[in-house]
Amino acid sequence: MFYDLNVPWTPNSLDLQRTISFLSELGYSTLALSHTLSGKLPPTITSPIPRPLPFPTPKNLRLLQRCTLTLSDPSQNHRLAALTNAYDILAIRPTTEKALMQACQTLDCDLISIDLTVRHPYHFKHKTLHAALQRGIKFEICYAPGVVASDSMARRNLISNATQLIRATRGRGIIISSEASQAVGCRGPWDVINLTTVWGLGQERGREAVDREARSVVVQAEMKRRSFRGVIDVVYGGERPEPKGAKEDTTAAKQVENEKRKAEAISGGGEKADQLEAPISKREQKRRAKKARLEANEYNSVASEVVASEVTAPDTARP
């Protein structure tokens, strides 16, 4: 399963449909449609990407919604919680060194996507990037803006910055995406893996960049949004699927059982009512016990008188 987590969303559905279909033919199983935001955010944040899309898509293809927030001013409130609830994946694109440090150390996001086609006035430091890796945040390298660009400087900056980023992260936590707005900028998964070897990532790490590392981004993003504090999530409770006619049979059996109970209640309701007695209070129990003792004493006295009369009767009868 290969992932491409950066497919720019455009209102032009024809180009987007061609790009999605071509990526599916290349072997990608999961795509993330990216919507880029910058500057001041609107008061109500909603995703403009329709779900489902207004055109047919391949059946086995999974489509996600992603927001790429351009971060330039670290002091600005970017309302990341609202963005997290509106999109499946939240990516930060810092443009300055301070914004990069803030994204790596404090901001709650899923991805850090740096524009590698421009020359940055700072170097990528291992200590700064390692802070993001410890928090589970991945770094994204997008190849299409440098591969398709007509300017050779953009291609040169992409190779230089990607090599520097891989060296600073020790090749860990890297994912590769296309960011291709048209189908001409898309490349197959194995072509991307070969491209990463040129940057110094290695073939095994290159395979993980479009497979396992990208999948971990999707899974962690789902856990943040669906689970309890990102720890517990009930995926499947172990229920057995019922057969098609089982539900109808159970409802019919319940109706028959209810009718039987009603008939029994009508016919034998009086007998059951007579058999059932109300609970006896303690006062009533004491009264009945006293009555039983009095009756027992009375019976004993009568019995003793009868025995005494029988004993004395023969003596009185003698001459």
Side-chain angles (χ1 to χ4, degrees), residues 84 107 188 221 269:
T84 302
L107 295 183

Side-chain angles (χ1 to χ4, degrees), residues 53-67:
L53 295 176
F55 50 83
T57 57
K59 295 181 179 179
N60 298 328
L61 186 65
R62 183 185 180 187
L63 295 176
L64 303 175
Q65 294 184 0
R66 161 181 163 167
C67 175

